[in-house]
Amino acid sequence: MATPPTTLPPSHDEAAGEESVDPEQLLRLLGDEYTRAVVDALGGESLPAREIAARADISRPTVYRRLDRLETAGVVEPTMTVDPDGHHRQAFELTIDGFDIHLGDTAAASGESPTAEEQASITLSVPSESP
C-alpha cells in the first residue's frame, strides 16, 4: 500500500507576518489570459507545474513564467512534496481564496462626494487557518 506524499511547509517564514497582495498588481496580472488559465487550473489545489500546464493546455515554460509573476505578487506560494519513494517535487498553491471588485460611486446616492476608495475597490479573500 503506497503512502501519500508528505507536504512540507512553504519556503517562507510565516512567523514574519502575512505577505499582502497588491490589488492593482493582481489586476494587471489577471489581464493576461495565460495567468488566468494558471489561476483557474490551480483552483483550491496544490499542483506541480506539469499538472497546471496539462490542465490549462499551455506550455510548461509559460506556466513557470506566470507562476514566477504570481509568486512575486504574493498570489501563489510554492510548496515541496516528498513522494513515498523519496523524490522531492515542487507544487504551487494559491494564497487567496478569491477577490471581489467593486466599481462605481457608492456615495453618489447619498449626495456626498466619493473618496477614491469608494469609487473603486478590490477585496481579497485569504484562506483561513484550520485550528
Side-chain angles (χ1 to χ4, degrees), residues 2 9-10 13 24 89 100:
D13 182 17
E24 290 182 26
R89 303 196 192 286
D100 295 316

Side-chain angles (χ1 to χ4, degrees), residues 25-113:
Q25 185 178 18
L26 177 60
L27 277 179
R28 281 192 298 277
L29 288 169
L30 293 176
D32 175 69
E33 69 179 291
Y34 296 114
T35 302
R36 290 191 308 270
V38 167
V39 169
D40 188 45
L42 277 169
E45 299 179 68
S46 179
L47 298 172
R50 178 181 353 102
E51 179 66 21
I52 297 167
R55 288 184 182 192
D57 194 29
I58 54 180
S59 72
R60 274 201 270 178
T62 299
V63 167
Y64 277 112
R65 282 191 297 273
R66 295 329 186 266
L67 286 169
D68 284 344
R69 293 174 190 165
L70 289 166
E71 184 179 350
T72 299
V75 178
V76 167
E77 179 176 73
T79 60
M80 191 65 67
T81 59
V82 181
D83 290 339
D85 61 2
H87 287 91
H88 291 67
R89 303 196 192 286
Q90 189 173 36
F92 299 88
E93 61 187 2
L94 293 172
T95 61
I96 60 174
D97 280 338
F99 59 95
D100 295 316
I101 301 173
H102 302 279
L103 302 174
D105 183 1
T106 57
S110 65
E112 300 174 18
S113 297

